[in-house]
Amino acid sequence: MARKHSKHGPYEDPQAEEDAPIAIVSCWLCGRPTGKTIVWHHPVPKSRGGRDVVPMHPICQQTLTANFTNSELQRHGMDVEGLLADPAVRKFVDWVANKDPDFTATLTKKQR
């Protein structure tokens, strides 16, 4: 069965949306601009009632999950400064500061 209306109107330019500038979002943890891949992270884990999400690099999210438990993340909530006070996270953020936004690397396992 044919559609009554096409996806694109007869006078629309389908290329117009692609020409629009892309908004640059900065990472919640390290503050660098995000690259092609953005992870929407729950600062307070969903299992602990968190609903808010923040943009992060995948490597930054992996660092948080490797260094903190859900209980610890719940205690910190939206407080980035509290997370950056941890020596391992501060060392990571200082190290990754000059890297490309799409930089990825393997990280150590959780130390529990």
Side-chain angles (χ1 to χ4, degrees), residues 22-25 32-38 56-58 100-103:
I22 299 171
I24 297 176
V25 181
R32 297 179 304 134
T34 54
K36 294 177 184 175
T37 305
I38 299 174
M56 291 181 75
H57 295 106
D100 184 59
D102 290 317
F103 174 77

Side-chain angles (χ1 to χ4, degrees), residues 10-112:
Y11 302 108
E12 285 184 36
D13 182 15
Q15 298 295 327
E17 292 178 8
E18 293 177 9
D19 295 338
I22 299 171
I24 297 176
V25 181
S26 59
C27 178
W28 180 71
L29 183 66
C30 69
R32 297 179 304 134
T34 54
K36 294 177 184 175
T37 305
I38 299 174
V39 174
W40 293 96
H41 174 72
H42 289 84
V44 177
K46 286 172 50 175
S47 64
R48 304 294 178 144
R51 293 178 182 255
D52 297 332
V53 291
V54 292
M56 291 181 75
H57 295 106
I59 192 168
C60 294
Q61 184 191 30
Q62 292 168 1
T63 299
L64 282 186
T65 57
N67 289 296
F68 296 103
T69 64
N70 282 351
S71 298
E72 291 169 332
L73 289 174
Q74 180 184 11
R75 276 186 242 126
H76 287 288
M78 296 291 287
D79 179 29
V80 169
E81 296 305 319
L83 296 171
L84 292 174
D86 183 83
V89 175
R90 172 50 66 190
K91 182 178 177 183
F92 165 78
V93 170
D94 292 342
W95 172 75
V96 82
N98 297 324
K99 305 285 190 241
D100 184 59
D102 290 317
F103 174 77
T104 59
T106 56
L107 299 174
T108 59
K109 302 262 183 189
K110 289 184 180 182
Q111 298 175 357
R112 297 189 188 201

